[in-house]
Amino acid sequence: VISQQCSTNQTTDTVDYLSVGGGFNDPAQNTFIAAANTAYYIIYETEEDCGYGEVTIEAPVQYSCSSPYTVSVEIGDSVNVDDIDTCKQGNSNDGLDFEPSLNSRDYVILLESSSVARQIFVSSESTSSDSDSVLIISQQCSMNQTSDTVEYVSEEGGYNPAQNTFIAAANTSYYIIYETDGECGS
């Protein structure tokens, strides 16, 4: 149980997250965004009988608008960003007036500026056949993206890659925002 309060009178209104696991090989798990300046109680118990266990708490690196994963690509270079898992990220980038809605958790990459213009090819694909891969390229990253602030949007289903080729202007940085449409994934 994850809650902002701890009491003997917990209700669905007071519990933020609840997870039940089925034993040794089926752990109870939760991934959530802990709000700034907010304390949480993590309550562990075994169902019916008392017993032993362990709780692991992890705060993975968040690659968001405020702290993006940074890459530098010059003419002739190629960079792979591996092991992206949006389930461990927050939703730092939302769209207001276009589809896809961008309301899922996202992984933000900052393509650093260069002194020369470059043709950039970006490709991303989901490792799940059930999720669409969404790729956004923009000079800004915010919770208020509009069709005027996003330069390129690409969405593909399943294992098909979302791709964009664009000219990166000299002395201009770009945000490359990856998310899976609907739910988090890798």
Side-chain angles (χ1 to χ4, degrees), residues 33-180:
I33 303 300
N37 302 313
T38 305
Y40 292 87
Y41 291 94
I42 300 171
I43 304 159
Y44 169 81
E45 66 179 46
T46 55
E47 206 169 42
E48 297 175 17
D49 296 330
C50 60
Y52 293 96
E54 72 178 32
V55 174
T56 301
I57 301 169
E58 176 186 7
V61 175
Q62 300 285 304
Y63 294 111
S64 63
C65 291
S66 60
S67 58
Y69 183 92
T70 304
V71 296
S72 177
V73 179
E74 296 299 329
I75 294 173
D77 290 349
S78 178
V79 173
N80 286 328
V81 180
D82 297 322
D83 301 324
I84 292 176
D85 183 357
T86 61
C87 293
K88 295 181 178 181
Q89 304 298 311
N91 182 20
S92 63
N93 186 77
D94 255 345
L96 300 177
D97 66 349
F98 57 89
E99 289 295 325
S101 66
L102 307 181
N103 62 357
S104 296
R105 297 171 185 215
D106 49 52
Y107 191 98
V108 180
I109 301 165
L110 177 63
L111 175 63
E112 292 183 319
S113 66
S114 176
S115 60
V116 297
R118 302 155 289 164
Q119 179 173 320
I120 302 292
F121 172 73
V122 181
S123 176
S124 67
E125 65 183 276
S126 171
T127 59
S128 168
S129 62
D130 297 335
S131 298
D132 287 355
S133 176
V134 180
L135 188 63
I136 310 298
I137 298 172
S138 178
Q139 290 182 37
Q140 72 175 25
C141 187
S142 75
M143 292 299 284
N144 301 308
Q145 290 281 26
T146 68
S147 52
D148 293 332
T149 61
V150 169
E151 286 152 64
Y152 304 94
V153 177
S154 180
E155 178 180 20
E156 288 295 334
Y159 299 117
N160 298 319
Q163 300 177 340
N164 277 303
T165 300
F166 70 102
I167 302 298
N171 303 311
T172 306
S173 296
Y174 293 86
Y175 289 96
I176 300 168
I177 302 148
Y178 170 81
E179 68 180 55
T180 51

